[in-house]
Amino acid sequence: MPESDLVAKMLRAVLQSSKNGIPLPRLQGEYKSLTGDWIPFKQLGHSTLEEYLKTVPGVVRIEINKMGEITCHAVASAETVRIAQLVACQRSSKRKMGRQVNCQMRLKNTAPFTLVVADQRAARQADKKLVVARPARAGDQRPEKRLTLPPRFQKELQVHLSRSSSVDSNDNLNEPVSETHRIPSGPSNSNINEVQNRVKEVLNKYSNGIWLSKMPQFYREIYEEELNTALLQRFEYWPHICTVEKVCTGGHTDVLLYPAKKMQHLVTSGIDHEGTSQNLTSSKADPFLKPVMETKSASLNSDFKQKVAEILFKYSNGLWANALPKVYEDTYKVKFPEDALNNLDLLSDICTVNQISDSPKKAILYAKPQKYIDENLNATDRVHIPEDLKITVEQECSQLMEKTKEQGPENIMVPPLIIPAEASPSVLVVELNNTNEVVIRYVGKDYSAAQELMEDEMKEYYSQNPTVLLMQSVSIGQLVAVHAEEDAWLRAQIISVEDNRIKVCYVDYGFSEIIENNKVYKLGRCFYSLPFQAAKCRLAGLEVFCDDPVLVKVVESQTCGKIFAVEILEKSDIPLVVLYDTSGEDDININVTCLKALCDKSLELHLQADALYTNVRVTNVCSDGTLYCQVPSKGLAKLCEILQKLEDYFHYKVCKEKGDAEQAPECFVSLPFCGKICVFHCKGKWARVEITSVHSSRALDVQFMDTGTVASVKVSELRDIPSQFLREIITLPPQAMKCCLADLPRNIGMWTPDAVLWLRDTVLNCPDCSIKVAKLDDSKGIAHIYLFTPKNFPDPDRSINRQITNEDLWKHQKDVFLSVAPSGAGPIKGKSDTILAPELLGLGLKKSLMGSIKLAPDPSSVVPTVDMPLLLPLPKPGEHMDVYVSVACHPGHFVVQPWQEIHNLEVLMEEMILYYSMAEERSIAVKKNNLYAAKVENKWHRVLIKGILTNGLVSVYELDYGKHELVSIRKIQPLMDMFRKLPFQAITAQLAGVKCKQWSEEASIVFRNHVEKKPLVALIQAVNESTRSWDRKIVTYLVDTALPDTDIWIHDFMSQYFVELSKVN
């Protein structure tokens, strides 16, 4: 075969192994790693690799994506079309993209009441009275809908109904606990003993061992119930259940599971039944067997083929034949037969051989399905083990098993506690000595509920024969069982021993107690499997003041004995967290609340009723008429002094050492979170800000602590407070006083845009105002004032309060709202309801906020010149596409987004947040069926106006997510040209393969729980095109490829649901 044809054939083979193609810069490396040679494009007469690729269009297809990256794809030939089809059907990798911590906390009603009750029972502890931070509230007792469903669908529907059947899950507090379990579910995975027994049964059924990653699949097939994957990490701590062997192949570590006495069984079966002796060559066999069998095992036909088959199963894209010997030797530590590759046809019963050239080593091997391999290997020869070696191994194994039986339970390792994977788990705060070591317990099925079950089992276990298990002697550090008050049995660790009294630490609760020695019992082996439930955490933002007695006392009074939602910022041995009290209408950041205890009370601003204050500056006017004012005070003078020292520090210290204060790496904010206090540079001035919302890894919202302004900024523009100034800056109270105008007419109602703009123009640019305090509302932290400009003070009839009521500013204009005009003049808007103070404009805040965002030079750019972005390219019928399901109403209507474009969409939304947070407001008219930008839940979306309501609300359709929302007309902005380039990402879809025109609520719930907010693979059946993106529609199959070796076709799942439902009915 000519060299050019050989290179082309091998190039096609390399490209076919990659479903999504190979980027051009990586092509040479992929070719070299698989073939051992570089692509010899220069020997073939071409100056560059790209030039050569263009000459073989029948082998490679070159594509250029929107980012300008060149990707090479294989062009299938008649010989390789089957392989191309197999590769196209393989599962795509859908790793979750790294995102910033979601600081929008979950609602307080996420858990059914039955879980809360169980959590309270599980949180019992001696000598401690718990106060749950989610108080009971009376509510309407609405009957729950009773359903009769197949068992496999009952569990998820029960969870949904328990969350949605009432406005508040705590409304069910007056109902009996048994009434909340209207739909029984299968055995819970929190029952560790039951799971262990089932794992034993699975391993006994597959006695030759199974991979740990396949255990959930076997478990589901046998028991028709999902195995909690968090338990997989505990298997190595269950020696009485299974034997665990770690296998390292090519840098990848996997785990094999065998029955607990697998070693002994292997030897016995080798003596009694030679039929299973081939398994002795595995690395799990006794070391005495290896020297005799290492050379022989490779030459045995059946065993060698079985090992090759196992290797090929791990390489689903195929393995080059010349790479097989090294992989084989790395895996099994056995020499690869020298002549095994000379005749690849001998391996045809276990794999498919794709011959690339005349050389036998230039071939790709693909694994055949396991059932064919088993059939082909049934009649193979068996390994012969010398009789004397069998006896020796049996004796050694027997001695080893006896030692294991004699081993005391105190030598058994307790598995480590695994941090919950959910976004905001619930925790019970037990106690603390400082804020860097807060003792907590996780609340949930696999934590507090599992512990409650274990303690019930301990009570039953020790009640049967307590005197035998009583400890005669103890040692420090020993794990024991303690008979506590109220006939409870708890796990504990001995701290110290003095005469007949023992100090123990309850490892599941975190507190210590001195008890009599007659209450200490031997801890049974079966109670070592559950990790210690008491854990420690660090409270974010309080690390520097962790030992401050005032702070510790406040944190203790606010948190101990209560349950909170926790945001885990950093997973480590002692995780860094933020606690949230979700018992009220609003989530309360406990870290921020406790930090306020350090504020210097002498520097707080205390206004007096009926008092006059001059030289007042209005720093912010919100869209509801609320004002923030700075009043001359001791605290304000202290603030100016501290900020000046901070400026001097950066200028004289950091600038000399690093060259630029703003670019010093140690000053950047590495871990932003809600409530964190840092500083923001405003061209020669520094300001204190508090992070209020984190949108992404690049953009977040901050509130200026001393002006009340809220703005969206880049993370890279924030700086950490230097340690020597931290206490001074943190303990200084905010210097902006929240105020409102007193005695405004009640018929004014909602503030109009005209009234807000008039107030801003009047007072924000005024250098010296005066106020008279009418009354103080301490509960809301707001002062009702009369506001005067210098020339009108102190005439009450000429106050701002009177002037604004006399102005014709309160006529609500239909379909008119505040919008953007990116001009250089005028005040800069912070958030949708705030505007930056004039003094900040003079310091260059606009330039700092705008950063890399490019604005048009004149207000005329408000009118977009680009009407519609290009339509999103859709696959053709029969093609695959990786998607993310953003909305799922029912199988007849759901919305998907292309998985490959999600990153580009997030970047676009970050740019929209930064742009619209500081654009100038201007009144324009809203038109139906036009494109705009709308602020929905603190994020800006590209929307289509569907309708304009008379109550000031607008119905919008999110063009990138497929959701319908109602938003205030004030939160609508023109969609600028720069945000019209990316195609709209929402694709309306219908599930193929199901025949139903009307979907019940129950079927919709089942479908939604299986697809919504998940990455899936779509196999397109039909495409209904349109010139408008929101009118396009696809009919598609959906495939869930999350499981390692099983694909779930959603239409098959729904069809099975209807079959089972019809049987029940």
CSV table of all heavy atoms in Angstrom, one decimal, residues 917-957:
chain,number,residue,atom,x,y,z
A,917,SER,N,-26.2,47.6,34.7
A,917,SER,CA,-26.1,48.1,36.1
A,917,SER,C,-25.7,49.5,36.2
A,917,SER,O,-25.8,50.1,37.3
A,917,SER,CB,-25.2,47.2,36.9
A,917,SER,OG,-23.8,47.4,36.4
A,918,MET,N,-25.2,50.1,35.1
A,918,MET,CA,-24.7,51.5,35.2
A,918,MET,C,-25.1,52.4,34.1
A,918,MET,O,-24.6,53.4,33.9
A,918,MET,CB,-23.2,51.5,35.4
A,918,MET,CG,-22.4,51.1,34.2
A,918,MET,SD,-21.1,50.0,34.5
A,918,MET,CE,-21.9,48.5,34.6
A,919,ALA,N,-26.1,51.9,33.3
A,919,ALA,CA,-26.6,52.8,32.2
A,919,ALA,C,-27.5,53.8,32.7
A,919,ALA,O,-28.3,53.6,33.6
A,919,ALA,CB,-27.2,51.9,31.1
A,920,GLU,N,-27.5,55.0,32.0
A,920,GLU,CA,-28.4,56.1,32.4
A,920,GLU,C,-29.9,55.8,32.0
A,920,GLU,O,-30.2,55.1,31.0
A,920,GLU,CB,-28.0,57.4,31.7
A,920,GLU,CG,-28.7,58.6,32.1
A,920,GLU,CD,-28.3,59.8,31.3
A,920,GLU,OE1,-27.4,59.7,30.5
A,920,GLU,OE2,-29.0,60.8,31.3
A,921,GLU,N,-30.8,56.3,32.8
A,921,GLU,CA,-32.2,56.0,32.6
A,921,GLU,C,-32.8,57.0,31.7
A,921,GLU,O,-32.4,58.2,31.6
A,921,GLU,CB,-33.0,56.0,34.0
A,921,GLU,CG,-32.5,54.9,34.9
A,921,GLU,CD,-33.2,55.1,36.3
A,921,GLU,OE1,-33.8,56.1,36.5
A,921,GLU,OE2,-33.1,54.1,37.1
A,922,ARG,N,-33.8,56.6,30.9
A,922,ARG,CA,-34.5,57.5,30.0
A,922,ARG,C,-35.9,56.8,29.7
A,922,ARG,O,-36.0,55.6,29.7
A,922,ARG,CB,-33.7,57.8,28.8
A,922,ARG,CG,-34.3,57.5,27.5
A,922,ARG,CD,-33.4,57.7,26.3
A,922,ARG,NE,-33.1,59.1,26.1
A,922,ARG,CZ,-32.5,59.5,25.0
A,922,ARG,NH1,-32.1,58.7,24.1
A,922,ARG,NH2,-32.2,60.8,24.9
A,923,SER,N,-36.9,57.6,29.5
A,923,SER,CA,-38.2,57.0,29.2
A,923,SER,C,-38.4,56.7,27.8
A,923,SER,O,-38.2,57.5,26.9
A,923,SER,CB,-39.3,58.1,29.7
A,923,SER,OG,-39.2,58.4,31.0
A,924,ILE,N,-38.9,55.5,27.5
A,924,ILE,CA,-39.3,55.1,26.1
A,924,ILE,C,-40.5,54.2,26.2
A,924,ILE,O,-40.9,53.8,27.3
A,924,ILE,CB,-38.1,54.3,25.4
A,924,ILE,CG1,-37.9,53.0,26.1
A,924,ILE,CG2,-36.9,55.1,25.3
A,924,ILE,CD1,-37.0,52.0,25.3
A,925,ALA,N,-41.1,53.9,25.1
A,925,ALA,CA,-42.4,53.2,25.0
A,925,ALA,C,-42.1,51.7,24.8
A,925,ALA,O,-41.1,51.4,24.1
A,925,ALA,CB,-43.3,53.7,24.0
A,926,VAL,N,-42.9,50.9,25.4
A,926,VAL,CA,-42.8,49.4,25.3
A,926,VAL,C,-43.7,49.0,24.2
A,926,VAL,O,-44.9,49.4,24.2
A,926,VAL,CB,-43.1,48.7,26.6
A,926,VAL,CG1,-43.0,47.2,26.4
A,926,VAL,CG2,-42.2,49.2,27.7
A,927,LYS,N,-43.3,48.1,23.3
A,927,LYS,CA,-44.1,47.6,22.2
A,927,LYS,C,-44.2,46.1,22.3
A,927,LYS,O,-43.2,45.4,22.6
A,927,LYS,CB,-43.6,48.0,20.9
A,927,LYS,CG,-43.6,49.5,20.6
A,927,LYS,CD,-43.1,49.9,19.2
A,927,LYS,CE,-43.1,51.4,19.0
A,927,LYS,NZ,-42.7,51.7,17.7
A,928,LYS,N,-45.4,45.6,22.1
A,928,LYS,CA,-45.6,44.1,22.1
A,928,LYS,C,-44.9,43.5,20.9
A,928,LYS,O,-44.7,44.0,19.9
A,928,LYS,CB,-47.1,43.9,22.0
A,928,LYS,CG,-47.5,42.4,22.3
A,928,LYS,CD,-49.0,42.3,22.2
A,928,LYS,CE,-49.4,40.8,22.4
A,928,LYS,NZ,-50.9,40.7,22.4
A,929,ASN,N,-44.4,42.2,21.2
A,929,ASN,CA,-43.7,41.4,20.2
A,929,ASN,C,-42.4,42.0,19.8
A,929,ASN,O,-41.8,41.6,18.7
A,929,ASN,CB,-44.6,41.2,19.0
A,929,ASN,CG,-45.8,40.3,19.3
A,929,ASN,OD1,-45.8,39.4,20.1
A,929,ASN,ND2,-46.9,40.6,18.6
A,930,ASN,N,-41.8,42.9,20.6
A,930,ASN,CA,-40.5,43.4,20.3
A,930,ASN,C,-39.5,42.8,21.3
A,930,ASN,O,-39.8,42.3,22.4
A,930,ASN,CB,-40.5,44.9,20.5
A,930,ASN,CG,-40.9,45.6,19.2
A,930,ASN,OD1,-41.6,45.0,18.4
A,930,ASN,ND2,-40.6,46.9,19.0
A,931,LEU,N,-38.2,42.9,21.0
A,931,LEU,CA,-37.1,42.3,21.8
A,931,LEU,C,-36.6,43.4,22.8
A,931,LEU,O,-36.4,44.5,22.4
A,931,LEU,CB,-35.9,41.9,20.9
A,931,LEU,CG,-36.3,40.8,19.8
A,931,LEU,CD1,-35.0,40.5,19.0
A,931,LEU,CD2,-36.9,39.6,20.4
A,932,TYR,N,-36.4,42.9,24.0
A,932,TYR,CA,-35.9,43.8,25.1
A,932,TYR,C,-35.0,43.0,26.0
A,932,TYR,O,-34.9,41.8,25.9
A,932,TYR,CB,-37.0,44.4,25.9
A,932,TYR,CG,-37.9,45.4,25.1
A,932,TYR,CD1,-39.0,44.9,24.5
A,932,TYR,CD2,-37.6,46.7,25.1
A,932,TYR,CE1,-39.9,45.8,23.7
A,932,TYR,CE2,-38.4,47.6,24.3
A,932,TYR,CZ,-39.5,47.1,23.7
A,932,TYR,OH,-40.3,48.0,23.0
A,933,ALA,N,-34.4,43.7,26.9
A,933,ALA,CA,-33.7,43.0,28.1
A,933,ALA,C,-34.5,43.2,29.3
A,933,ALA,O,-35.1,44.3,29.5
A,933,ALA,CB,-32.3,43.6,28.3
A,934,ALA,N,-34.7,42.2,30.1
A,934,ALA,CA,-35.5,42.3,31.3
A,934,ALA,C,-34.7,41.7,32.5
A,934,ALA,O,-34.0,40.7,32.4
A,934,ALA,CB,-36.8,41.5,31.1
A,935,LYS,N,-34.9,42.4,33.6
A,935,LYS,CA,-34.3,41.9,34.9
A,935,LYS,C,-35.2,40.9,35.6
A,935,LYS,O,-36.3,41.3,36.1
A,935,LYS,CB,-33.9,43.1,35.8
A,935,LYS,CG,-33.0,42.7,36.9
A,935,LYS,CD,-32.6,43.9,37.7
A,935,LYS,CE,-31.6,43.5,38.8
A,935,LYS,NZ,-31.1,44.6,39.6
A,936,VAL,N,-34.8,39.7,35.7
A,936,VAL,CA,-35.6,38.6,36.3
A,936,VAL,C,-34.7,38.0,37.4
A,936,VAL,O,-33.6,37.4,37.1
A,936,VAL,CB,-36.0,37.5,35.3
A,936,VAL,CG1,-36.9,36.5,36.0
A,936,VAL,CG2,-36.8,38.2,34.2
A,937,GLU,N,-35.1,38.2,38.7
A,937,GLU,CA,-34.4,37.6,39.8
A,937,GLU,C,-32.9,37.9,39.8
A,937,GLU,O,-32.0,37.1,39.8
A,937,GLU,CB,-34.5,36.1,39.8
A,937,GLU,CG,-36.0,35.6,40.0
A,937,GLU,CD,-36.1,34.1,40.1
A,937,GLU,OE1,-35.1,33.4,39.8
A,937,GLU,OE2,-37.2,33.6,40.3
A,938,ASN,N,-32.6,39.2,39.6
A,938,ASN,CA,-31.2,39.8,39.7
A,938,ASN,C,-30.4,39.4,38.5
A,938,ASN,O,-29.2,39.7,38.6
A,938,ASN,CB,-30.5,39.3,41.0
A,938,ASN,CG,-31.1,39.9,42.3
A,938,ASN,OD1,-31.6,41.0,42.2
A,938,ASN,ND2,-31.1,39.2,43.3
A,939,LYS,N,-30.9,38.9,37.5
A,939,LYS,CA,-30.2,38.6,36.3
A,939,LYS,C,-30.9,39.2,35.1
A,939,LYS,O,-32.1,39.3,35.1
A,939,LYS,CB,-29.9,37.1,36.1
A,939,LYS,CG,-29.0,36.5,37.1
A,939,LYS,CD,-28.6,35.1,36.7
A,939,LYS,CE,-27.6,34.5,37.6
A,939,LYS,NZ,-27.2,33.2,37.2
A,940,TRP,N,-30.1,39.6,34.1
A,940,TRP,CA,-30.7,40.2,32.9
A,940,TRP,C,-30.8,39.2,31.8
A,940,TRP,O,-29.9,38.4,31.5
A,940,TRP,CB,-29.8,41.4,32.4
A,940,TRP,CG,-29.9,42.6,33.3
A,940,TRP,CD1,-29.2,42.9,34.4
A,940,TRP,CD2,-30.9,43.6,33.2
A,940,TRP,NE1,-29.6,44.0,35.0
A,940,TRP,CE2,-30.7,44.5,34.3
A,940,TRP,CE3,-32.0,43.9,32.4
A,940,TRP,CZ2,-31.5,45.6,34.5
A,940,TRP,CZ3,-32.8,45.0,32.6
A,940,TRP,CH2,-32.5,45.9,33.6
A,941,HIS,N,-32.0,39.1,31.2
A,941,HIS,CA,-32.3,38.1,30.2
A,941,HIS,C,-32.8,38.8,28.9
A,941,HIS,O,-33.4,39.9,28.9
A,941,HIS,CB,-33.5,37.2,30.6
A,941,HIS,CG,-33.1,36.3,31.8
A,941,HIS,ND1,-32.7,35.0,31.7
A,941,HIS,CD2,-33.1,36.6,33.1
A,941,HIS,CE1,-32.4,34.5,32.8
A,941,HIS,NE2,-32.7,35.5,33.7
A,942,ARG,N,-32.5,38.2,27.8
A,942,ARG,CA,-33.1,38.6,26.5
A,942,ARG,C,-34.5,38.1,26.4
A,942,ARG,O,-34.7,36.9,26.5
A,942,ARG,CB,-32.2,38.1,25.3
A,942,ARG,CG,-30.8,38.6,25.4
A,942,ARG,CD,-30.0,38.2,24.2
A,942,ARG,NE,-29.8,36.7,24.0
A,942,ARG,CZ,-29.2,36.2,23.0
A,942,ARG,NH1,-28.6,36.9,22.1
A,942,ARG,NH2,-29.0,34.9,23.0
A,943,VAL,N,-35.5,39.0,26.2
A,943,VAL,CA,-36.9,38.6,26.2
A,943,VAL,C,-37.6,39.1,25.0
A,943,VAL,O,-37.2,40.1,24.4
A,943,VAL,CB,-37.5,39.1,27.6
A,943,VAL,CG1,-36.8,38.5,28.8
A,943,VAL,CG2,-37.6,40.6,27.6
A,944,LEU,N,-38.8,38.5,24.8
A,944,LEU,CA,-39.8,39.0,23.9
A,944,LEU,C,-41.0,39.4,24.7
A,944,LEU,O,-41.5,38.7,25.5
A,944,LEU,CB,-40.2,37.8,22.9
A,944,LEU,CG,-41.3,38.1,21.9
A,944,LEU,CD1,-40.7,39.0,20.8
A,944,LEU,CD2,-41.8,36.8,21.3
A,945,ILE,N,-41.5,40.6,24.4
A,945,ILE,CA,-42.7,41.1,25.1
A,945,ILE,C,-43.9,40.4,24.5
A,945,ILE,O,-44.2,40.5,23.4
A,945,ILE,CB,-42.8,42.7,24.9
A,945,ILE,CG1,-41.6,43.4,25.5
A,945,ILE,CG2,-44.1,43.2,25.6
A,945,ILE,CD1,-41.4,43.3,27.0
A,946,LYS,N,-44.6,39.7,25.4
A,946,LYS,CA,-45.8,39.0,25.0
A,946,LYS,C,-47.1,39.8,25.3
A,946,LYS,O,-48.1,39.6,24.7
A,946,LYS,CB,-45.9,37.6,25.7
A,946,LYS,CG,-44.7,36.8,25.5
A,946,LYS,CD,-44.6,36.3,24.0
A,946,LYS,CE,-45.6,35.3,23.7
A,946,LYS,NZ,-45.5,34.8,22.3
A,947,GLY,N,-47.1,40.7,26.3
A,947,GLY,CA,-48.3,41.4,26.7
A,947,GLY,C,-47.9,42.5,27.7
A,947,GLY,O,-47.0,42.3,28.5
A,948,ILE,N,-48.7,43.6,27.7
A,948,ILE,CA,-48.5,44.7,28.7
A,948,ILE,C,-49.8,44.8,29.5
A,948,ILE,O,-50.9,45.0,29.0
A,948,ILE,CB,-48.3,46.0,27.9
A,948,ILE,CG1,-47.0,45.8,27.0
A,948,ILE,CG2,-48.0,47.1,28.9
A,948,ILE,CD1,-46.8,47.0,26.1
A,949,LEU,N,-49.7,44.6,30.8
A,949,LEU,CA,-50.8,44.6,31.7
A,949,LEU,C,-51.0,46.0,32.3
A,949,LEU,O,-50.1,46.9,32.3
A,949,LEU,CB,-50.6,43.6,32.9
A,949,LEU,CG,-50.2,42.2,32.5
A,949,LEU,CD1,-50.1,41.3,33.7
A,949,LEU,CD2,-51.2,41.6,31.5
A,950,THR,N,-52.2,46.3,32.8
A,950,THR,CA,-52.6,47.6,33.3
A,950,THR,C,-52.0,47.9,34.7
A,950,THR,O,-52.0,49.0,35.1
A,950,THR,CB,-54.1,47.8,33.3
A,950,THR,OG1,-54.6,46.7,34.1
A,950,THR,CG2,-54.7,47.7,31.9
A,951,ASN,N,-51.5,46.9,35.4
A,951,ASN,CA,-51.1,47.1,36.7
A,951,ASN,C,-49.6,47.3,36.8
A,951,ASN,O,-48.9,47.1,37.9
A,951,ASN,CB,-51.4,45.8,37.6
A,951,ASN,CG,-50.9,44.5,37.0
A,951,ASN,OD1,-50.2,44.5,36.0
A,951,ASN,ND2,-51.1,43.5,37.8
A,952,GLY,N,-48.9,47.7,35.7
A,952,GLY,CA,-47.5,47.9,35.7
A,952,GLY,C,-46.6,46.8,35.5
A,952,GLY,O,-45.4,46.9,35.6
A,953,LEU,N,-47.2,45.6,35.2
A,953,LEU,CA,-46.5,44.4,34.9
A,953,LEU,C,-46.4,44.1,33.4
A,953,LEU,O,-47.3,44.5,32.7
A,953,LEU,CB,-47.0,43.2,35.7
A,953,LEU,CG,-47.0,43.3,37.2
A,953,LEU,CD1,-47.6,42.0,37.8
A,953,LEU,CD2,-45.6,43.5,37.7
A,954,VAL,N,-45.4,43.4,33.0
A,954,VAL,CA,-45.2,43.0,31.6
A,954,VAL,C,-45.0,41.5,31.5
A,954,VAL,O,-44.3,40.9,32.3
A,954,VAL,CB,-44.0,43.7,31.0
A,954,VAL,CG1,-43.8,43.3,29.5
A,954,VAL,CG2,-44.2,45.2,31.1
A,955,SER,N,-45.7,40.8,30.6
A,955,SER,CA,-45.5,39.4,30.3
A,955,SER,C,-44.4,39.2,29.3
A,955,SER,O,-44.4,39.8,28.2
A,955,SER,CB,-46.8,38.8,29.8
A,955,SER,OG,-46.5,37.4,29.4
A,956,VAL,N,-43.3,38.5,29.7
A,956,VAL,CA,-42.2,38.3,28.8
A,956,VAL,C,-41.9,36.8,28.6
A,956,VAL,O,-42.2,36.0,29.5
A,956,VAL,CB,-40.9,39.0,29.4
A,956,VAL,CG1,-41.2,40.5,29.6
A,956,VAL,CG2,-40.5,38.4,30.7
A,957,TYR,N,-41.2,36.5,27.5
A,957,TYR,CA,-40.7,35.2,27.2
A,957,TYR,C,-39.2,35.2,27.1
A,957,TYR,O,-38.7,36.0,26.3
A,957,TYR,CB,-41.3,34.7,25.9
A,957,TYR,CG,-40.8,33.3,25.5
A,957,TYR,CD1,-41.2,32.2,26.1
A,957,TYR,CD2,-39.9,33.2,24.4
A,957,TYR,CE1,-40.7,30.9,25.7
A,957,TYR,CE2,-39.4,32.0,24.0
A,957,TYR,CZ,-39.8,30.9,24.6
A,957,TYR,OH,-39.3,29.6,24.2
